[in-house]
């Protein structure tokens, strides 16, 4: 389980290995998938029968993820990519398509940059954040769409965030990139639909990821956990598996008539009147 102590629900850290092979014969490319949400999304596609391309700049973590996935029967492959470099997304798509025989699913999940406040942010940090979080998503999609078209169609999911809708006091670039992904999703959906490619975005809210779970579950964080739960109408927080399952659905035949949409996965956090939370 990926449930910390005292949590009400018992979500899986990823889909069960015995699930239906909905994506058998398909190839899924997930960026930023060495760990966290990206890793869980990759595992979801892998357990559903897809060949999985783990595309990340972190070689050690990626290789560990590939070994872990192969041990559970997933057909996983590592592709080293630095999405901050010009041409990096295009080379990544070309390499995956060549080695795995094509691409049916592209999940733009990678992010980069530091969460800096307005007074101390830098141009370099802005450029890194936008190049990985937004520019790379566009050029990966641009290169992947004709590959998908040649296979009869495909699906793209851009992992945005509720930070596209809400504002904190950190990282203007992160907020801008995540907001830009929503409009990019609509643009790509409108332009790629006639080629059989659907494009949607997922906006996660408060998500406890693998690398944060132990810290979140500590005894001295009980008050924080209770406050986090109370902030959500569902009285619970999200897990990477919640984002993965939504992504899987959007790429399945069950979502065949859904494109250009931004699906919020936040337990109702953003539907509330902020004054109600304060009071």
């Amino acid at each position: 389980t990926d449930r910390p102590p005292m949590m009400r629900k018992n979500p899986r850290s990823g889909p069960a290995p015995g699930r239906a092979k909905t994506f058998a014969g398909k190839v899924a490319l997930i960026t930023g998938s060495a760990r966290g949400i990206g890793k869980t999304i990759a595992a979801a596609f892998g357990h559903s029968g897809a060949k999985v391309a783990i595309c990340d700049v972190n070689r050690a973590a990626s290789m560990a993820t590939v070994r872990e996935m192969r041990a559970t029967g997933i057909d996983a492959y590592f592709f080293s990519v630095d999405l901050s470099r010009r041409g990096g997304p295009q080379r990544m798509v070309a390499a995956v398509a060549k080695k795995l025989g094509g691409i049916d699913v592209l999940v733009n999940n990678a992010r980069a940059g530091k969460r800096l406040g307005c007074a101390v942010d830098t141009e370099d940090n802005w450029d890194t954040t936008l190049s990985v979080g937004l520019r790379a998503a566009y050029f990966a999609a641009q290169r992947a769409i004709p590959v998908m078209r040649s296979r009869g169609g495909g699906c793209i999911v851009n992992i945005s965030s509720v930070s596209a809708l809400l504002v904190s006091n950190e990282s203007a670039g992160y907020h801008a990139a995540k907001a830009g992904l929503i409009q990019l999703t609509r643009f790509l959906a409108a332009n790629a639909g006639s080629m059989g490619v659907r494009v949607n975005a997922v906006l996660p809210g408060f998500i406890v990821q693998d690398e944060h779970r132990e810290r979140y579950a500590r005894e001295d964080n009980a008050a924080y956990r209770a406050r986090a739960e109370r902030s959500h109408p569902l009285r619970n927080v999200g897990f990477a598996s919640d984002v993965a399952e939504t992504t899987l659905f959007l790429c399945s035949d069950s979502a065949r008539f859904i494109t250009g949409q931004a699906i919020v996965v936040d337990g109702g956090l953003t539907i509330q009147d902020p004054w109600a939370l304060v009071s």
Side-chain angles (χ1 to χ4, degrees):
T1 178
D2 62 359
R3 179 179 68 90
M6 299 176 64
M7 295 297 291
R8 294 186 177 88
K9 295 186 178 178
N10 188 24
R12 301 182 301 271
S13 59
R19 73 182 304 155
K21 303 300 182 182
T22 311
F23 291 89
K26 304 292 186 182
V27 176
L29 187 170
I30 299 92
T31 67
S33 46
R35 59 184 183 178
I37 290 175
K39 177 181 177 181
T40 304
I41 293 172
F45 280 102
H47 286 311
S48 297
K51 290 182 181 179
V52 177
I54 304 298
C55 297
D56 204 289
V57 71
N58 188 329
R59 176 177 291 274
S62 297
M63 292 304 297
T65 291
V66 167
R67 288 193 295 270
E68 178 184 331
M69 289 186 177
R70 287 181 175 176
T72 66
I74 293 175
D75 201 4
Y77 303 83
F78 168 54
F79 294 85
S80 180
V81 59
D82 183 351
L83 294 173
S84 69
R85 294 184 177 275
R86 292 183 180 274
Q90 297 93 322
R91 288 190 293 271
M92 170 190 70
V93 170
V96 172
K98 181 177 180 179
K99 182 176 180 64
L100 303 186
I103 297 171
D104 303 282
V105 171
L106 167 64
V107 180
N108 287 308
N109 168 74
R111 54 157 294 191
K114 299 176 181 178
R115 303 293 288 266
L116 301 176
C118 184
V120 295
D121 209 349
T122 65
E123 290 186 40
D124 285 345
N125 189 54
W126 171 274
D127 289 346
T128 298
T129 303
L130 268 292
S131 63
V132 174
L134 186 58
R135 187 185 72 193
Y138 173 63
F139 287 104
Q142 183 194 60
R143 184 65 184 265
I145 288 169
V147 176
M148 293 176 176
R149 182 184 188 182
S150 70
R151 290 166 67 84
C155 295
I156 298 172
V157 175
N158 297 317
I159 305 300
S160 178
S161 167
V162 294
S163 292
L165 310 174
L166 306 173
V167 176
S168 72
N169 60 359
E170 294 181 327
S171 190
Y174 179 77
H175 285 77
K178 294 304 185 181
L181 279 176
I182 296 177
Q183 194 68 353
L184 177 62
T185 295
R186 294 170 179 149
F187 174 87
L188 291 171
N191 282 271
S194 63
M195 291 176 268
V197 178
R198 296 187 295 104
V199 189
N200 291 288
V202 175
L203 282 61
F206 190 114
I207 302 295
V208 179
Q209 300 181 42
D210 291 344
E211 59 265 36
H212 305 141
R213 196 162 60 243
E214 183 177 346
R215 182 178 63 188
Y216 185 77
R218 286 193 327 230
E219 283 188 29
D220 59 353
N221 270 342
Y224 174 73
R225 285 197 302 274
R227 188 165 65 250
E229 289 186 24
R230 286 197 306 270
S231 297
H232 296 76
L234 291 181
R235 296 298 184 263
N236 203 353
V237 296
F239 294 87
S241 55
D242 296 309
V243 182
E245 293 289 352
T246 304
T247 303
L248 213 66
F249 164 73
L250 288 172
C251 295
S252 73
D253 290 342
S254 297
R256 57 168 292 277
F257 205 52
I258 301 174
T259 195
Q261 301 305 304
I263 310 299
V264 179
V265 182
D266 72 344
L269 181 69
T270 56
I271 66 173
Q272 301 171 99
D273 181 346
W275 292 111
L277 293 177
V278 172
S279 62

